């Protein structure tokens, strides 16, 4: 294996000059730099990042712990694979700054401390923890680092975090439906146990209030996570109940795109066409669903990629010596409304 001394001898320069070319810490004329770089390539010389880290006290490594890869959701559930967009956003932004991301995956919270210890042994300069969905996190003992950013989750300790702006997302979607003439807006919500449910209900109610539309509890039904069969029964009963109202809804908002798939099927079984007989909107913009349903689904994006980028920028700010993020700091990232063919203008639309 070639050494720095082999490179220096072959290039006819001093080892100090080779070091300067590798580290960029002192001026070297262009011709000499090109000669040294060409010699390193010809000899197959690879600089030791470990040795440079010992000298500079910087490894340029950042760790990340997630369950998005090997968790049960990654096998095709409602979450999992889309969450990888968070990891991609982090990696893309760090790479632009010359940082390397070390990803460790676990499907069990109990394994997090060991993964964190391993990452710290590799002298990572910071650590991300990426949750599978918007939730409160209770990290086990030993699962923290001096520089840490939570993504898609928050904790009671006030660790800096990056979250989707669920309230503004549902407000924007509901306001857009109102602007297109819909006044009776059914809302098939996520289960109450999920943090996003309360936030989105807040956005939904605010959009109605701002438009002078009364909140009707008959148009809001919580869905269930207790099993696919039971969930379908709940959805079917909810839709039948809404359609039987004296003033039925003209559009159904679904807590996520997966629910929209079931809603399409239930409406089709009742010979209600989408969007002619009932408009349907989702949430997530899980494009495997939203772009393959017919008609394609209008939905609010969960901005996973931009959340990852925001988390990386937050981490880079600390690594570059800027003022550390304050305890309790939360960065909210807004999604974009994806308007497709599943929503038609409502009765109150202006001609």
């Amino acid at each position: 294996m070639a050494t720095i001394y082999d490179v220096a001898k072959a290039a006819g320069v001093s080892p100090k000059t080779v070091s300067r070319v590798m580290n960029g810490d002192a001026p070297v004329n262009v011709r000499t730099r090109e000669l040294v770089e060409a010699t390193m390539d010809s000899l197959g010389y690879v600089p030791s990042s470990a040795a440079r880290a010992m000298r500079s006290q910087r490894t340029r490594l950042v760790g990340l712990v997630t369950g998005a890869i090997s968790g049960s959701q990654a096998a095709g559930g409602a979450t999992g694979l889309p969450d990888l967009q968070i990891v991609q956003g982090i990696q893309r932004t760090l790479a632009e700054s010359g940082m390397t991301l070390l990803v460790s995956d676990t499907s069990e919270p109990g394994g997090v401390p060991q993964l964190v210890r391993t990452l710290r042994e590799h002298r990572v300069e910071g650590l991300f923890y990426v949750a599978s969905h918007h939730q409160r996190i209770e990290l086990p003992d030993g699962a923290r680092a001096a520089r840490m950013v939570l993504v898609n989750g928050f904790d009671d300790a006030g660790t800096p975090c990056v979250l989707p702006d669920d309230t503004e997302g549902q407000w924007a979607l509901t306001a857009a439906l109102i602007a297109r003439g819909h006044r009776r807006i059914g809302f098939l919500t996520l289960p109450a146990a999920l943090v996003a449910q309360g936030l989105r209900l807040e956005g939904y109610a605010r959009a109605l209030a701002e438009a002078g539309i009364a909140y009707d509890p008959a148009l809001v039904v919580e869905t269930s996570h207790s099993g696919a069969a039971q969930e379908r029964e709940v959805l079917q009963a909810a839709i039948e109940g809404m359609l039987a109202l004296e003033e039925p809804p003209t559009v159904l908002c679904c807590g996520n795109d997966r629910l929209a798939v079931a809603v399409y099927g239930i409406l089709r079984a009742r010979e209600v066409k989408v969007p002619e007989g009932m408009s349907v909107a989702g949430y997530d913009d899980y494009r495997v669903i939203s772009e393959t349903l017919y008609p394609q689904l209008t939905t609010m994006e969960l901005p996973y990629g931009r959340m990852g980028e925001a988390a990386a920028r937050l981490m880079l700010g600390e690594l570059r010596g800027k003022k550390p993020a304050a305890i309790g700091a939360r960065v909210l990232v807004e999604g974009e409304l994806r308007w497709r063919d599943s929503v038609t203008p409502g009765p109150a639309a202006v001609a």
Side-chain angles (χ1 to χ4, degrees):
M1 181 179 294
T3 68
I4 190 173
Y5 301 101
D6 297 325
V7 173
K9 182 178 179 180
V13 299
S14 69
K16 184 64 175 180
T17 299
V18 177
S19 176
R20 287 173 175 171
V21 170
M22 291 189 301
N23 298 320
D25 56 1
V28 178
N29 71 60
V30 175
R31 186 173 180 179
T32 301
R33 178 179 296 278
E34 291 176 347
L35 172 63
V36 170
E37 289 174 345
T39 304
M40 287 193 292
D41 288 341
S42 66
L43 294 178
Y45 174 71
V46 179
S48 171
S49 58
R52 282 189 290 176
M54 290 180 65
R55 291 193 298 270
S56 67
Q57 299 300 307
R58 294 289 306 277
T59 63
R60 306 192 70 78
L61 302 176
V62 180
L64 183 148
V65 176
T66 180
I69 299 172
S70 65
S72 59
Q73 296 94 342
T79 60
L81 291 178
D83 303 348
L84 290 178
Q85 296 172 23
I86 296 176
V87 179
Q88 292 167 350
I90 292 172
Q91 182 167 338
R92 181 168 55 247
T93 305
L94 290 181
E96 291 172 355
S97 295
M99 306 293 289
T100 299
L101 185 67
L102 303 182
V103 179
S104 295
D105 185 89
T106 177
S107 58
E108 298 295 334
V112 174
Q114 179 57 48
L115 290 178
V116 172
R117 281 195 294 271
T118 300
L119 289 169
R120 293 174 69 179
E121 287 171 1
H122 284 77
R123 301 180 66 221
V124 294
E125 298 183 40
L127 183 71
F128 297 99
Y129 182 91
V130 178
S132 61
H133 61 272
H134 189 169
Q135 60 185 283
R136 173 178 275 102
I137 295 170
E138 294 183 11
L139 289 175
D141 292 340
R144 293 190 172 277
R147 293 191 184 97
M148 190 166 196
V149 175
L150 307 179
V151 193
N152 218 17
F154 59 94
D155 64 8
D156 294 333
T159 304
C161 61
V162 175
L163 304 168
D165 197 337
D166 282 299
T167 301
E168 290 301 307
Q170 191 65 53
W171 171 85
L173 174 57
T174 307
L177 295 173
I178 294 171
R180 285 163 175 77
H182 293 277
R183 295 293 182 269
R184 299 286 289 171
I185 302 174
F187 191 10
L188 302 166
T189 78
L190 297 170
L194 296 181
V195 171
Q197 195 244 36
L199 297 173
R200 294 185 194 170
L201 270 174
E202 180 183 335
Y204 168 81
R206 177 157 62 89
L208 294 178
E210 290 176 356
I213 301 172
Y215 179 96
D216 186 350
L219 293 178
V220 179
V221 177
E222 177 188 342
T223 60
S224 170
H225 272 188
S226 57
Q230 184 175 354
E231 183 178 82
R232 185 175 179 86
E233 291 177 4
V234 170
L235 284 173
Q236 187 161 337
I239 292 172
E240 290 176 353
M242 290 185 188
L243 293 178
L245 292 171
E246 184 176 343
E247 291 184 74
T250 58
V251 59
L252 295 175
C253 283
C254 303
N256 57 40
D257 294 346
R258 184 180 58 83
L259 287 175
V261 176
V263 169
Y264 269 47
I266 292 169
L267 290 173
R268 186 177 299 113
R270 293 180 59 87
E271 298 185 348
V272 177
K273 291 185 177 181
V274 178
E276 295 87 349
M278 178 66 70
S279 291
V280 178
Y283 206 109
D284 287 354
D285 195 26
Y286 188 5
R287 295 170 68 178
V288 171
I289 294 174
S290 62
E291 293 185 351
T292 57
L293 277 174
Y294 183 81
Q296 291 190 346
L297 183 66
T298 292
T299 184
M300 175 57 68
E301 172 204 29
L302 268 177
Y304 284 143
R306 291 196 300 281
M307 286 166 58
E309 293 168 1
R313 289 193 296 270
L314 193 62
M315 179 69 73
L316 286 170
E318 293 202 18
L319 295 178
R320 290 168 177 166
K322 295 182 180 179
K323 183 178 179 181
I327 294 176
R330 292 191 180 190
V331 176
L332 299 180
V333 182
E334 295 184 20
E336 295 182 3
L337 179 56
R338 311 296 192 192
W339 200 264
R340 299 191 180 96
D341 298 329
S342 65
V343 175
T344 193
V350 177

